[in-house]
Amino acid sequence: MKLLRLFSRPRSAPAARERLQVLLAHERASNAGDSDLLGKLRDEILRAISKHMQIDDDKVSVRMERGAQVSTLAVDIEVPFDVGKKAA
Amino acid sequence: MGKVIVVTSGKGGVGKTTSSAALGAALAQGGDKVVVVDFDVGLRNLDLVMGAERRVVYDLVNVIQGEAKLTQALIRDKRVETLYLLPASQTRDKENLTAKGVEAVIGALKVNFDWVICDSPAGIESGATLAMRHADIAIVVTNPEVSSVRDSDRIIGLLDSKTVKAENGEHMEKHLLLTRYDPARAERGDMLKVDDVLEILSIPLLGIIPESMDVLRASNIGSPVTLADQGSAPAVAYFDAVRRLKGEALPVSVPGEKRGFFGKFFGRKAA
């Protein structure tokens, strides 16, 4: 039973290696001074938006997914209808 | 109001992060709403063990410094929807973890979650004392090995003096989680016995987690062991520990220990 489980499962070391490579590539880039692009984009997008409207923190959701080839950044903002009146 | 648990040990490498992830996942798998908080500022690893390392947007220090809302920093697990992670900061100094800030964050989490699990850094510095400060329950992770037992004793002393509960003269609930237990070495008599550790530390036993390849495999693929392989020996041991944590009087069995018919009925008494 236990042996069967051992043989039927895919090896996990390749997954560990791949995860570490992606993570460390991103961490080394951000430690080298130039903060990671994704983080920079996130901050600048939020700053740009806050110029035009008061951002309600609870209405903003930011999601990131760092990948080997491609990373994704999703900024989800609820823009109120009367945005003009609220402009800071 | 949720319960705050600190997973602590003093010594590094004994299995605090593994246990925080496994216990948190096990509680969430049972339907409870759980958040696991990484207090190891500068050396975070809970995100990696839980497989969320690519999705960290904000962290505990961002929240404390007011740069992000708590809800924005929480990462929801992709497998168990009632399981959340609050990552530690990887780049900031530990000094950014302020007592006031931690109090506010824990207070807010308690309102929204059934369990707040604080994964303490090793050592007895501010990171470790802040992680334990607001705990209702402490889980002391110990290996059956002399230096680990000594450090656990030191941590128990801190739990009884430096926590809010202790300062208010209340009893701090403490449990021992014995990890990396090797039945083969125990059989040969080359490992501290469970009873020896219990006698020295004299806190109730929450569970014994066997040394296992399954734990390494789980961390390789970025999954708490209770999610990676629910039927594996360490996963079963963590599920049992969670049942005891919730008040069930489940006897603790020593991994690999042969037990006869009567032994099954008159097993070791649980916490």
Side-chain angles (χ1 to χ4, degrees):
Chain A
M1 174 67 186
K2 202 162 187 190
L3 268 177
L4 217 124
R5 272 226 323 258
L6 268 178
F7 286 115
S8 63
R9 285 183 302 191
R11 287 183 305 153
S12 63
R17 183 186 131 96
E18 199 250 327
R19 291 174 62 223
L20 275 174
Q21 279 176 334
V22 173
L23 175 68
L24 295 183
H26 285 284
E27 282 192 350
R28 284 179 187 147
S30 64
N31 286 347
D34 35 74
S35 75
D36 70 327
L37 180 63
L38 224 51
K40 220 184 249 176
L41 283 173
R42 173 198 70 199
D43 294 343
E44 284 184 19
I45 289 170
L46 291 179
R47 221 174 297 137
I49 293 163
S50 65
K51 269 190 222 157
H52 300 285
M53 58 176 274
Q54 190 86 47
I55 296 184
D56 181 347
D57 280 341
D58 289 323
K59 302 282 163 63
V60 181
S61 114
V62 185
R63 286 187 308 278
M64 293 200 253
E65 176 99 38
R66 296 181 177 85
Q69 310 297 327
V70 180
S71 295
T72 58
L73 169 69
V75 184
D76 218 321
I77 302 164
E78 276 184 37
V79 181
F81 188 61
D82 56 347
V83 59
K85 288 176 211 160
K86 282 193 179 168
Chain B
M1 216 44 157
K3 286 214 163 138
V4 182
I5 299 178
V6 62
V7 177
T8 185
S9 71
K11 192 173 185 306
V14 296
K16 283 182 297 298
T17 301
T18 301
S19 297
S20 298
L23 293 169
L27 282 164
Q29 282 165 279
D32 288 356
K33 207 174 166 203
V34 183
V35 60
V36 196
V37 187
D38 193 347
F39 272 83
D40 206 344
V41 173
L43 287 173
R44 75 167 171 226
N45 270 320
L46 189 59
D47 56 332
L48 196 54
V49 169
M50 292 182 70
E53 76 278 3
R54 298 187 193 185
R55 296 196 290 138
V56 175
V57 183
Y58 295 112
D59 55 56
L60 178 59
V61 170
N62 288 136
V63 176
I64 285 175
Q65 304 278 353
E67 294 155 354
K69 275 275 167 68
L70 186 54
T71 47
Q72 293 175 340
L74 290 172
I75 303 172
R76 188 193 212 144
D77 190 88
K78 282 188 169 173
R79 300 148 297 206
V80 186
E81 62 172 25
T82 54
L83 178 61
Y84 289 78
L85 162 72
L86 181 56
S89 168
Q90 185 68 328
T91 47
R92 306 288 197 88
D93 280 342
K94 285 181 185 164
E95 283 64 48
N96 290 311
L97 210 60
T98 62
K100 255 208 173 118
V102 170
E103 186 179 357
V105 169
I106 299 287
L109 289 173
K110 263 173 92 162
V111 178
N112 292 299
F113 289 89
D114 298 317
W115 302 93
V116 181
I117 300 180
C118 304
D119 180 21
S120 172
I124 52 169
E125 308 299 313
S126 72
T129 51
L130 281 172
M132 69 169 66
R133 179 125 191 98
H134 302 281
D136 300 306
I137 303 167
I139 295 178
V140 180
V141 181
T142 307
N143 292 165
E145 178 263 325
V146 286
S147 57
S148 174
V149 175
R150 180 208 204 168
D151 291 358
S152 290
D153 188 65
R154 187 82 197 277
I155 279 292
I156 290 170
L158 289 179
L159 287 166
D160 285 332
S161 61
K162 300 275 184 189
T163 54
V164 172
K165 274 211 154 185
E167 285 173 7
N168 291 339
E170 291 170 58
H171 171 70
M172 181 77 204
E173 188 181 331
K174 298 177 290 290
H175 299 274
L176 179 72
L177 188 66
L178 205 59
T179 54
R180 314 197 76 158
Y181 185 86
D182 186 339
R185 278 201 294 154
E187 186 79 17
R188 287 199 303 270
D190 287 333
M191 197 171 58
L192 275 171
K193 289 211 164 63
V194 175
D195 288 329
D196 297 337
V197 181
L198 282 174
E199 192 194 326
I200 295 166
L201 296 177
S202 59
I203 58 172
L205 183 62
L206 185 68
I208 304 170
I209 314 297
E211 170 89 73
S212 165
M213 277 295 295
D214 295 304
V215 173
L216 179 64
R217 270 185 49 83
S219 77
N220 276 347
I221 61 170
S223 171
V225 71
T226 53
L227 275 171
D229 190 350
Q230 300 197 18
S232 66
V236 170
Y238 278 117
F239 281 122
D240 285 350
V242 157
R243 284 166 66 186
R244 289 180 201 108
L245 196 60
K246 294 178 97 171
E248 213 175 302
L250 189 68
V252 181
S253 61
V254 180
E257 194 170 86
K258 290 181 191 75
R259 190 172 286 175
F261 178 76
F262 284 103
K264 271 179 187 147
F265 288 94
F266 304 102
R268 193 178 300 272
K269 260 277 183 314

